[in-house]
Amino acid sequence: MNISHSVPLKFSGEVKEALESGKPVVALESNVITHGLDYPDNVTTAKNVEQAVRESGAVPATIGIDNGEFLIGMSDKQIEKFATASHVPKVTSRDIPVVLASGGMGATTVASSILAAEIAGIKFFCSAGIGGVHRGAETSMDISADLTQLTRSRVAVVCAGAKNILDIGLTLEFLETWNVPIISYQSDDFPAFYCRSSGFKSPQRLDDPAVIAKAIEINWMLPGGKGILITTPTKPEDAIDSQKIDMIIQGAVLEAKRNNIVGNSLTKYLMRMIDRETNGISAKANMAVLVNTANVAGKLAVAHAIHKFSGEIYSGRSQAQ
């Protein structure tokens, strides 16, 4: 059964034409528009991220849910709607059936965007940072659905690592346990969102997009090969010192405990505290990470498309001979 015929998908004309003609496409989440930034910065950033993908030679496909359908690629009007609508729910993978059945709006997270991308036939997804294992998860069991979705969907995820508010060491351990390949592009370290290094070395480093494209295809040919994680650090001029962020987080975590802020509310609280303590610098760094990661994702998607095209030509010639 073709899953894409069963799940309601509404493609934009640009994305539909790109997929039908074999052009590289990069999926993007809509949660950044509804929950990540304030208006009108959310609209400006969403358009800048899409433009960064286009400048790299790929086609952007911002994903959301509206009227009981996955939107695979948004118009400017749809982006504005998501940016200004109130109480748009944050939709992770487990929420998809209910939100689609209810017919309302939904902002896709990393996990649900990866799932939608796979159904739509999009091979690449881009985000500033993935979710991970939260601090204190050994007692709370708070582990992001982003990680489990990586173990299930055959999509290459390009990001700037994971936020410092998470337990990055345990996040890397989880991904190792579930055999998710991690490749850092042109960097030795696993990055931490707007910090160029999390303090942890990456399991693998590759500097050539063509080699990364080949590694992606090999991963998908292997039994059980699903998601693959490719990290790229933010530009040096846009980065924030990791020690400064760590000090802010330590203080914010203690304050959150005193105020009994836990669960889904904790992440948003910590990010707001970081923004406040850095006088808004972190918000600007957040936008820069989104744009840079989108540009790199587009370049890698282009390299993958070239690799696939070359392989098809070679295969065709071999069969002809």
Side-chain angles (χ1 to χ4, degrees), residues 6-282:
S6 304
V7 178
L9 305 177
K10 185 176 181 180
F11 291 87
S12 70
E14 181 186 23
V15 173
K16 185 174 186 292
E17 187 277 330
L19 290 172
E20 289 176 347
S21 60
K23 294 179 183 176
V25 179
V26 176
L28 305 165
E29 64 183 303
S30 52
N31 181 56
V32 173
I33 303 172
T34 57
H35 294 77
L37 298 165
D38 295 328
Y39 184 83
D41 288 341
N42 50 2
V43 174
T44 301
T45 302
K47 292 181 179 179
N48 287 343
V49 168
E50 290 196 341
Q51 183 58 29
V53 173
R54 290 192 179 96
E55 288 175 356
S56 69
V59 173
T62 301
I63 294 175
I65 297 175
D66 197 14
N67 295 319
E69 298 176 309
F70 270 118
L71 304 178
I72 310 297
M74 287 192 193
S75 64
D76 287 348
K77 185 177 180 180
Q78 288 169 325
I79 289 175
E80 187 76 22
K81 179 180 179 180
F82 271 74
T84 55
S86 58
H87 308 299
V88 178
K90 184 178 179 180
V91 179
T92 189
S93 301
R94 70 171 185 178
D95 306 318
I96 289 172
V98 173
V99 177
L100 286 177
S102 301
M105 293 179 67
T108 55
T109 62
V110 170
S112 53
S113 298
I114 293 172
L115 179 57
E118 182 180 36
I119 296 169
I122 299 172
K123 302 298 184 183
F124 279 78
F125 166 77
C126 166
S127 174
I130 60 167
V133 179
H134 286 253
R135 298 183 184 210
E138 60 272 15
T139 56
S140 69
M141 293 298 292
D142 193 351
I143 300 174
S144 172
D146 298 355
L147 299 186
T148 51
Q149 196 62 53
L150 267 167
T151 70
R152 297 173 179 174
S153 293
R154 194 167 291 188
V155 175
V157 175
V158 183
C159 67
K163 296 181 180 72
N164 280 34
I165 60 174
L166 302 168
D167 189 320
I168 294 181
L170 287 182
T171 298
L172 291 170
E173 290 289 349
F174 181 100
L175 292 169
E176 179 186 2
T177 298
W178 285 93
N179 297 317
V180 176
I182 302 173
I183 298 170
S184 285
Y185 176 55
Q186 298 183 348
S187 175
D188 290 326
D189 292 352
F190 186 84
F193 204 54
Y194 35 55
C195 300
R196 285 180 58 83
S197 175
S198 64
F200 290 87
K201 292 292 183 183
S202 177
Q204 301 288 342
R205 170 178 176 159
L206 289 176
D207 295 348
D208 186 346
V211 178
I212 292 177
K214 189 175 180 180
I216 290 170
E217 280 302 305
I218 292 172
N219 178 61
W220 290 339
M221 286 188 290
L222 293 171
K226 295 292 184 178
I228 184 168
L229 187 66
I230 304 161
T231 67
T232 180
T234 191
K235 294 179 180 178
E237 59 268 27
D238 297 323
I240 300 179
D241 180 68
S242 59
Q243 291 185 342
K244 180 178 181 180
I245 294 297
D246 285 340
M247 288 180 62
I248 294 172
I249 291 172
Q250 288 173 18
V253 167
L254 291 174
E255 188 171 330
K257 286 182 179 179
R258 286 195 294 268
N259 295 323
N260 198 31
I261 298 172
V262 296
N264 294 336
S265 301
L266 180 59
T267 297
K268 187 174 183 179
Y269 175 80
L270 294 177
M271 295 302 291
R272 295 293 185 190
M273 287 291 290
I274 292 171
D275 189 42
R276 189 188 77 181
E277 294 298 319
T278 60
N279 297 315
I281 292 175
S282 65

